[in-house]
Amino acid sequence: MQQNKKQVLFLCTHNSARSQMAEGLLNNLATDTYFAQSAGTEKTHVRPLAIQAMSNINMDISTHSSKTLDEFLDTSFDYVITVCDSANEACPYFRNAKTRLHWSFQDPSKATGSEAEQLAFYCTVRDQIRERIEKELLQ
């Protein structure tokens, strides 16, 4: 049951890559103890390379959708974690968060080069997010 789990909201600007991967990672790594969701300051779409980067480690986020922060304003969270600097600036305070954290990761959607090079960058950011989750939430 979700109410027995720690509630986490990952925030990014577009809710298209970093926050989506963070949601998928935490929900897969800590199914029994955490329930993660994600949102953005703007609603767009989940980037195909984010879906592929997660698929490469057998985690499926293909059914995720981009959501705005407004959908969660009345929801209480144990953690609200911004994963990009602009979301951190746009949302310096979240009234229903017990703990507010900021984890700065590079924007994989800014990757250049071939599709393989771009995917490699998404995978690098995914792995950095996973490392942070394991170090700070799953200790």
Side-chain angles (χ1 to χ4, degrees):
M1 295 179 65
Q2 292 174 14
Q3 57 262 41
N4 296 331
K5 299 178 182 183
K6 291 183 181 177
Q7 304 292 309
V8 179
L9 180 65
F10 290 103
L11 290 176
C12 202
T13 304
H14 296 112
N15 190 220
S16 64
R18 291 166 284 189
S19 53
Q20 293 286 348
M21 291 190 293
E23 174 186 350
L25 283 162
L26 185 56
N27 283 335
N28 276 276
L29 295 171
T31 333
D32 296 335
T33 51
Y34 284 93
F35 178 69
Q37 299 180 80
S38 66
T41 55
E42 301 171 24
K43 182 177 175 177
T44 58
H45 64 279
V46 181
R47 294 189 176 272
L49 287 174
I51 294 169
Q52 188 173 348
M54 294 298 288
S55 177
N56 287 356
I57 58 168
N58 299 315
M59 293 185 190
D60 183 10
I61 63 168
S62 63
T63 61
H64 286 200
S65 62
S66 181
K67 300 163 291 299
T68 64
L69 175 60
D70 295 343
E71 297 179 39
F72 299 99
L73 292 178
D74 295 325
T75 306
S76 294
F77 292 95
D78 295 289
Y79 296 93
V80 171
I81 304 170
T82 50
V83 291
C84 74
D85 294 335
S86 95
N88 187 48
E89 292 170 15
C91 183
Y93 172 76
F94 194 90
R95 70 169 187 226
N96 294 328
K98 291 180 185 173
T99 302
R100 168 74 168 72
L101 301 171
H102 175 60
W103 299 347
S104 182
F105 299 104
Q106 290 183 291
D107 185 354
S109 71
K110 303 280 191 230
T112 59
S114 69
E115 185 171 322
E117 291 168 327
Q118 292 176 47
L119 177 60
F121 190 66
Y122 273 80
C123 292
T124 296
V125 173
R126 176 206 64 210
D127 293 344
Q128 291 169 347
I129 295 168
R130 181 179 190 147
E131 182 178 315
R132 197 79 183 256
I133 286 171
E134 289 173 342
K135 181 179 177 184
E136 294 193 33
L137 298 179
L138 305 182
Q139 37 189 331

